[in-house]
Amino acid sequence: MTKELMLLAVSLVLAAAAVEDMARLRISNIFPLLVLGLFAVWVGVVGWESDIWRNGTVFVAVFALGCGLFAMRWMGGGDVKLLAACSVWFDWAGVLPWFVYVTMGGGLLALLIMAGRRMVPQSVRSSSSLAIFAPKGPIPYGVAIAAGTIMALYLAGPNPSGAARLPDFVQGL
């Protein structure tokens, strides 16, 4: 399996998690598990590097921070698990760009959802079963985590083998 296919696979898993979060405000455990499993396959494809332990420390730190945010009810449990699983793809150098992409995505997502909730007619919102249309409801932050992680994987690159690039079909656009 090539690097490009691996990045595509993890991107599809993250997109599926984002869709589920928008529809149900819930992220199934299978998505973080798949992200972690794909990282293990990624390491097998690109090769083990001696600094891989840094990815583990990033994972532990992000999971601990997420648990604190969950305890304060600022973040959902599914979001915490997905965030921690995504963080394992980055080392110390890559975690800051990843965090910036996720944070910027979250801010943009919040603005879009607030505007969308006002712009979508009340009749459509009330008849929809999508949790995203709940008035003053929570923001499905799994969408920002997925989008930010995908951007960071392609633009900053994962560790090991941080040399990532946009796929050819995107470069041609």
Side-chain angles (χ1 to χ4, degrees):
M1 187 173 267
T2 66
K3 291 181 185 182
E4 289 80 15
L5 284 176
M6 289 296 307
L7 291 178
L8 177 61
V10 75
S11 297
L12 291 174
V13 168
L14 290 170
V19 168
E20 182 185 37
D21 198 23
M22 279 192 297
R24 301 178 12 176
L25 289 175
R26 183 174 187 275
I27 300 171
S28 298
N29 289 336
I30 190 67
F31 295 115
L33 290 173
L34 285 171
V35 170
L36 289 171
L38 285 169
F39 179 72
V41 175
W42 173 265
V43 171
V45 168
V46 301
W48 184 272
E49 293 182 7
S50 62
D51 68 345
I52 196 86
W53 62 273
R54 293 178 182 176
N55 295 56
T57 60
V58 168
F59 172 81
V60 169
V62 169
F63 187 68
L65 175 66
C67 287
L69 294 172
F70 176 75
M72 293 186 289
R73 298 182 189 256
W74 289 359
M75 206 169 192
D79 295 330
V80 170
K81 289 181 274 188
L82 186 63
L83 191 70
C86 290
S87 73
V88 80
W89 284 78
F90 305 99
D91 64 357
W92 298 343
V95 74
L96 183 60
W98 168 71
F99 186 72
V100 168
Y101 288 129
V102 170
T103 303
M104 287 180 6
L108 180 62
L109 174 69
L111 291 174
L112 288 173
I113 288 176
M114 288 188 306
R117 285 178 179 163
R118 292 177 185 226
M119 293 171 58
V120 174
Q122 176 64 31
S123 60
V124 172
R125 287 184 300 198
S126 61
S127 65
S128 175
S129 64
L130 292 176
I132 198 168
F133 288 132
K136 297 183 182 179
I139 304 295
Y141 204 71
V143 177
I145 296 167
T149 300
I150 292 169
M151 288 183 356
L153 285 171
Y154 285 108
L155 299 175
N159 182 62
S161 188
R165 62 178 184 79
L166 292 173
D168 292 334
F169 69 88
V170 174
Q171 291 179 358
L173 297 179

